[in-house]
Amino acid sequence: MKSARYRSREFALQGLYQWLLAKHAPAEIAQDIVLFRGFDKCDPLYFRDLLDGAIHDADTIEAHLSPCLDRPVDEVSPIERAVLMIAGCEFLRHPEVPYRVVINEAVELAKSFGGTDGHKYVNGVLDKLAAALREPEVREVRRNRPARAES
């Protein structure tokens, strides 16, 4: 079962993809997306916050992403770019969502909508981004991680 928040991320991804390719106004995109089948199963406020936040803060999010990328942001495929922007928006605007949840949800989106190995790229980029934007949280999680057994 997909959670309402995951569905919100799916719809935000579709909207952000439209914005990246056609530069339609966020309100126009949202107006179209609310008519999509299954929209009633998402959290509409979270959807709007992700869509509007990713678009409004696109320059800031992409500035944070750039050092984590192996190429210019505009050369990243539109799906992976949209997934990364949504995750960046969540890192910045939703500290109540654990960074590992943000990464996991983004990887799942990339698996569902992106290229064959796009999810691996998204995972690597977001690991770096989390360390930069959520450094205290990442440090705490890593400190509390059980040590691996030696073989």
Side-chain angles (χ1 to χ4, degrees):
M1 285 282 296
K2 295 178 183 178
S3 73
R5 281 208 167 174
Y6 183 80
R7 290 178 188 272
S8 299
R9 291 177 184 98
E10 285 181 322
F11 289 115
L13 173 62
Q14 292 174 52
L16 199 52
Y17 181 82
Q18 284 181 35
W19 181 77
L20 287 169
L21 293 182
K23 295 294 185 196
H24 291 141
E28 181 182 330
I29 293 168
Q31 197 172 33
D32 290 340
I33 289 180
V34 300
L35 302 175
F36 286 10
R37 194 173 121 215
F39 186 82
D40 60 319
K41 294 181 178 140
C42 86
D43 176 339
L45 296 176
Y46 204 68
F47 157 73
R48 279 308 296 257
D49 187 63
L50 292 178
L51 179 64
D52 294 344
I55 292 171
H56 180 267
D57 297 337
D59 291 340
T60 300
I61 292 167
E62 290 183 344
H64 286 296
L65 281 169
S66 288
C68 304
L69 301 173
D70 62 352
R71 64 193 93 148
V73 71
D74 59 341
E75 291 180 15
V76 175
S77 88
I79 291 292
E80 279 83 18
R81 184 176 175 187
V83 169
L84 292 169
M85 290 176 70
I86 290 167
C89 178
E90 285 192 279
F91 281 153
L92 292 169
R93 290 176 160 238
H94 292 280
E96 77 280 3
V97 179
Y99 84 92
R100 290 168 39 168
V101 170
V102 173
I103 293 173
N104 184 60
E105 297 287 277
V107 166
E108 291 304 315
L109 285 173
K111 283 180 181 177
S112 295
F113 296 96
T116 304
D117 288 330
H119 67 283
K120 294 175 186 176
Y121 185 72
V122 165
N123 187 55
V125 170
L126 292 180
D127 277 340
K128 294 174 190 171
L129 188 62
L133 295 179
R134 299 268 190 98
E135 190 268 334
E137 180 186 358
V138 171
R139 190 173 1 102
E140 182 67 22
V141 166
R142 289 180 181 163
R143 182 175 39 236
N144 292 326
R145 188 180 297 159
R148 291 185 179 172
E150 296 288 325
S151 328

